[in-house]
Amino acid sequence: KTGIGMTLLPVLYQTSGFGGLPPREDQARFIRSTDNMLSLLQQLEPVTRAQQAALGLAPHSLRAVPPDSLKAALAGLHAMLPKAPVHIHIAEQTQEVDDCLAWSGQRPVQWLLEHAPVDARWCLVHATHMTPEEYAGAARSAAVAGICPTTEANLGDGIFDMPAWLRHGGRWGIGSDSHATVNAAEELLMLEYSQRLNLRQRNVLGGGAQPQVATSMTLQAVAGGAQASGRAISGLAVGQQADFVVLDARHVALNGLPADSGHAAHVFASHRTSAIADVWVRGQQRVQAGRHALHEVAQQGFVLARKALLQGA
């Protein structure tokens, strides 16, 4: 109804640690068997297709999905949907790396590249703690690195080495793992600033054909995000879905600036109060002057749902 473009990625979670450690009591609510997950995907496939959404799978992590289950789940998914995306948390924290080494003698990304069919369908979420060899190997696989800058900052996970990734032609997109922030401009700002702090230099992700840092980052993130979502949304081009936003030139962060500086101001100056005025999805306008077409209906529905919950309590 809202027009949000969606890729649905049910999360497979089975164990509490490497080596098949049984789930904790508080994890029981989201544990699924592999057969149960494949049955769920079969039920979801016609629904997502009818709604022009994409369907894939998110094996949560190597610590949460044992090798045999990972292999079976991937085989079942791609027998059903050969191009379906696969997202997995990998090398997010140093503790995960240490635990994986103790279990297998290999680091998480190293193990995954040697034991799973990692290719352009995959999104390696976080991938923060990799060796130079892992950066090279993961980039060669054509997988997308799913960077979640505000989440990684919020959790104190560490900083992805973007220059190392780009040296090997790595593809990347941005996301929000724990919803610490849900704002693309702020995620891009955090990504660039974290690189500057780490490297003690400026304009890390600019240069080449797109010297403007904001434009360079956005084009790369859009391409990587389209690949990771398994949907044709990689820009205003033939064969791609007509998804785009319109910035408000009267916004305080943009007003009076040269036209070619507006996008940079949106990313680096307006993230707290978005300069996005209009949103179009599949060629249909969904947001106009900052207001969604279904705003009133959604607001009324929210109030009624909250009232029902409070009465039930």
Side-chain angles (χ1 to χ4, degrees):
K1 289 182 180 180
T2 61
I4 295 174
M6 184 177 292
T7 296
L8 187 61
L9 298 159
V11 178
L12 182 60
Y13 206 115
Q14 298 181 335
T15 59
S16 63
F18 292 99
L21 293 178
R24 302 189 307 268
E25 184 177 344
D26 62 323
Q27 294 174 324
R29 66 192 186 278
F30 47 76
I31 299 298
R32 283 185 183 273
S33 70
T34 305
D35 288 343
N36 181 279
M37 175 58 75
L38 292 176
S39 175
L40 175 64
L41 292 173
Q42 288 177 337
Q43 296 175 55
L44 291 172
E45 191 279 328
V47 178
T48 52
R49 177 162 34 86
Q51 296 184 356
Q52 295 182 291
L55 179 64
L57 177 66
H60 179 273
S61 57
L62 295 181
R63 68 179 184 275
V65 182
D68 289 347
S69 294
L70 179 63
K71 182 178 180 180
L74 293 173
L77 170 71
H78 289 133
M80 185 191 321
L81 297 165
K83 297 182 179 179
V86 178
H87 289 217
I88 187 169
H89 287 198
I90 195 83
E92 178 180 0
Q93 299 171 335
T94 54
Q95 183 66 53
E96 177 190 347
V97 175
D98 293 341
D99 290 347
C100 190
L101 281 166
W103 163 65
S104 68
Q106 292 182 300
R107 299 168 61 88
V109 173
Q110 179 188 13
W111 189 96
L112 188 70
L113 293 175
E114 292 188 15
H115 294 86
V118 180
D119 58 19
R121 297 172 294 188
W122 286 66
C123 179
L124 308 181
V125 182
H126 304 301
T128 308
H129 302 287
M130 294 193 288
T131 64
E133 293 76 19
E134 287 173 316
Y135 273 101
R140 282 196 303 268
S141 76
V144 175
I147 314 302
C148 307
T150 63
T151 296
E152 289 144 9
N154 183 42
L155 298 178
D157 286 343
I159 299 173
F160 184 84
D161 189 345
M162 188 61 80
W165 184 246
L166 295 178
R167 280 197 298 272
H168 298 289
R171 308 169 189 187
W172 62 275
I174 56 166
S176 180
D177 174 12
S178 65
H179 291 178
T181 299
V182 187
N183 183 316
E186 190 160 352
E187 296 289 354
L188 290 173
L189 179 147
M190 178 66 77
L191 175 60
E192 170 67 19
Y193 280 6
S194 66
Q195 299 298 310
R196 294 183 186 189
L197 287 168
N198 194 41
L199 300 170
R200 287 175 289 178
Q201 68 182 66
R202 302 175 187 177
N203 303 330
V204 178
L205 295 179
Q210 294 292 342
Q212 282 272 12
V213 176
T215 302
S216 176
M217 284 197 299
T218 299
L219 292 177
Q220 291 180 72
V222 166
Q227 179 179 323
S229 69
R231 299 170 59 241
I233 52 171
S234 62
L236 296 177
V238 175
Q240 301 301 300
Q241 185 173 297
D243 288 8
F244 58 92
V245 300
V246 178
L247 300 182
D248 180 6
R250 297 167 298 178
H251 187 280
V252 63
L254 279 62
N255 201 333
L257 292 177
D260 61 359
S261 298
H263 183 226
H266 169 62
V267 171
F268 289 106
S270 70
H271 58 291
R272 292 295 180 187
T273 56
S274 178
I276 295 176
D278 306 326
V279 178
W280 296 69
V281 180
R282 278 201 293 272
Q284 297 183 28
Q285 188 167 16
R286 297 292 184 170
V287 175
Q288 184 175 21
R291 196 174 184 86
H292 193 280
L294 298 178
H295 178 89
E296 297 296 338
V297 174
Q299 179 174 276
Q300 293 170 13
F302 173 80
V303 171
L304 290 174
R306 181 173 60 187
K307 183 178 180 180
L309 285 169
L310 292 173
Q311 289 175 342

